[in-house]
Amino acid sequence: LYTAGLLNNLDTPLSLGSCSFVVPRDAGGVDNISGGTKPTAWNSECGGSFGHELIFSRTLEMEMDQQTSFETVKNARGGTQIHKHWYPGYGSYWDELKQSIASRSGWKGFIWHQGTQEAWTQEDTSLTYLANLTGLIQQVRVEMFDASEA
C-alpha cells in the first residue's frame, strides 16, 4: 500500500472521488450519516470512520482516467444478515438499498462486504448463504442497469 502511494497524503481529499454514507432505519427510511455527497477523505464521515471505501476510492482515482469523477455510496448497517435484512422483496432494508441505487445513474459496480453476523444464527447458513448472495447480486445488477438507463 505504501509503495503504491495509497497511504500518501491521506488527509488530502480526493480530487475526483466523492462519497456518501446512509444507514437504513428499522422503521424505514435512512439516516444520512455523511450529510450528502462529500469529497472522499479520511475525515469525510463517509462511514463514521474510514474503511474499505477510502482505500478503494484512492485506488480508483490513481488507476482511472484523470478526467473521470466517481462516487462511492456506502449503504450499510452492522449486525445484519442477507436474507433477513437485504434480500430483494423480503429483507427489511431492501427498499432503502433499492432507492439508493435508483437515485443515482451511471452505475459501474457494486461491492458487497459482510462481516460474521451470518455465522451467528441458530440455522446452518452455509446451505443458504450462496443462494441468498447470488439472488441479491442479480437483483442489484437489474436495479443498477435500470437506474443507468433512466
Side-chain angles (χ1 to χ4, degrees):
L1 293 177
Y2 184 75
T3 58
L6 291 173
L7 301 179
N8 298 344
N9 304 315
L10 282 177
D11 57 342
T12 304
L14 299 181
S15 55
L16 298 172
S18 60
C19 63
S20 59
F21 178 36
V22 296
V23 175
R25 290 188 219 126
D26 287 331
V30 296
D31 290 324
N32 190 341
I33 303 301
S34 60
T37 302
K38 303 197 171 178
T40 303
W42 70 271
N43 60 352
S44 63
E45 296 184 12
C46 289
S49 62
F50 71 85
H52 313 325
E53 65 280 354
L54 178 65
I55 298 301
F56 178 75
S57 294
R58 290 179 64 82
T59 302
L60 281 178
E61 185 156 307
M62 291 175 73
E63 298 296 324
M64 288 175 58
D65 171 9
Q66 293 300 307
Q67 304 301 312
T68 305
S69 61
F70 63 92
E71 180 183 2
T72 304
V73 182
K74 185 173 181 178
N75 189 322
R77 175 138 185 186
T80 61
Q81 300 170 12
I82 293 177
H83 194 263
K84 182 177 179 182
H85 298 101
W86 301 102
Y87 199 78
Y90 179 82
S92 55
Y93 303 141
W94 169 249
D95 289 339
E96 287 75 18
L97 177 58
K98 184 178 174 180
Q99 176 56 37
S100 182
I101 294 168
S103 68
R104 294 165 175 85
S105 62
W107 285 95
K108 301 295 183 204
F110 177 82
I111 298 172
W112 178 260
H113 167 80
Q114 186 170 6
T116 60
Q117 189 63 34
E118 205 83 27
W120 302 107
T121 65
Q122 299 290 35
E123 64 187 70
D124 181 1
T125 57
S126 67
L127 303 175
T128 57
Y129 185 83
L130 179 59
N132 289 336
L133 180 60
T134 301
L136 172 66
I137 297 300
Q138 285 174 338
Q139 190 59 40
V140 164
R141 286 178 176 162
V142 168
E143 300 299 331
M144 288 169 52
F145 179 80
D146 289 349
S148 295
E149 292 293 311

